[in-house]
Amino acid sequence: MKIIIINGPNLNLLGKREPEVYGDKTFEDYFAELQFKFKEVQLEYFQSNIEGELISKLQETGFFYDGIVLNAASYTHTSVGIGDAVKAIETPVVEVHISNTHKREDFRHVSYISSGAKGVILGFGLQSYNLAIQSFL
């Protein structure tokens, strides 16, 4: 099984950015834990702060992988293009958020991705990624 985690803007700052919201662990450290836990899965990781690069990665992997775990971060609430890319590919996508976006600012209550996603997991911290991977097994 081949699964890719695609992270959007500012998630490269995990461990530094608003630790009260996002925790104090870097995603690279957490990704190593996921690789150890899910040894039977070929896990890959991609992060970009650039909307077009996220769309390109969805298109590149969206016909050949068994699953995509997507945290588009703030682009979730603004990017019709990423939402359209999720709908255009064949690989199932699970939308993930570290925080419970419904407990935050009103603009974060809207997702352009959810309608094309297999499911949505939010509010469980980094554990949200673990739950998303499990949904493909």
Side-chain angles (χ1 to χ4, degrees), residues 26-75:
T26 68
F27 195 81
E28 290 74 14
D29 288 343
Y30 184 65
F31 184 68
E33 292 176 23
L34 289 173
Q35 288 177 304
F36 182 78
K37 179 174 183 169
F38 297 103
K39 292 177 184 169
E40 74 281 8
V41 177
Q42 182 181 340
L43 281 177
E44 295 180 21
Y45 170 57
F46 176 80
Q47 188 279 328
S48 179
N49 295 317
I50 301 168
E51 181 179 16
E53 290 182 0
L54 297 172
I55 293 168
S56 292
K57 186 55 79 170
L58 286 165
Q59 291 176 357
E60 174 188 322
T61 58
F63 296 92
F64 308 105
Y65 285 58
D66 298 299
I68 296 173
V69 176
L70 174 62
N71 185 343
S74 59
Y75 286 138

Side-chain angles (χ1 to χ4, degrees), residues 47-129:
Q47 188 279 328
S48 179
N49 295 317
I50 301 168
E51 181 179 16
E53 290 182 0
L54 297 172
I55 293 168
S56 292
K57 186 55 79 170
L58 286 165
Q59 291 176 357
E60 174 188 322
T61 58
F63 296 92
F64 308 105
Y65 285 58
D66 298 299
I68 296 173
V69 176
L70 174 62
N71 185 343
S74 59
Y75 286 138
T76 300
H77 321 293
T78 63
S79 179
V80 173
I82 292 175
D84 285 349
V86 168
K87 290 176 185 172
I89 61 177
E90 294 175 359
T91 300
V93 174
V94 173
E95 177 185 347
V96 164
H97 299 282
I98 296 168
S99 67
N100 180 347
T101 57
H102 296 288
K103 290 179 108 177
R104 300 183 65 192
E105 305 92 337
D106 286 346
F107 76 89
R108 295 185 196 275
H109 301 179
V110 174
S111 169
Y112 287 101
I113 295 165
S114 297
S115 65
K118 168 186 170 183
V120 180
I121 300 171
L122 53 95
F124 293 97
L126 291 174
Q127 184 70 6
S128 296
Y129 293 92

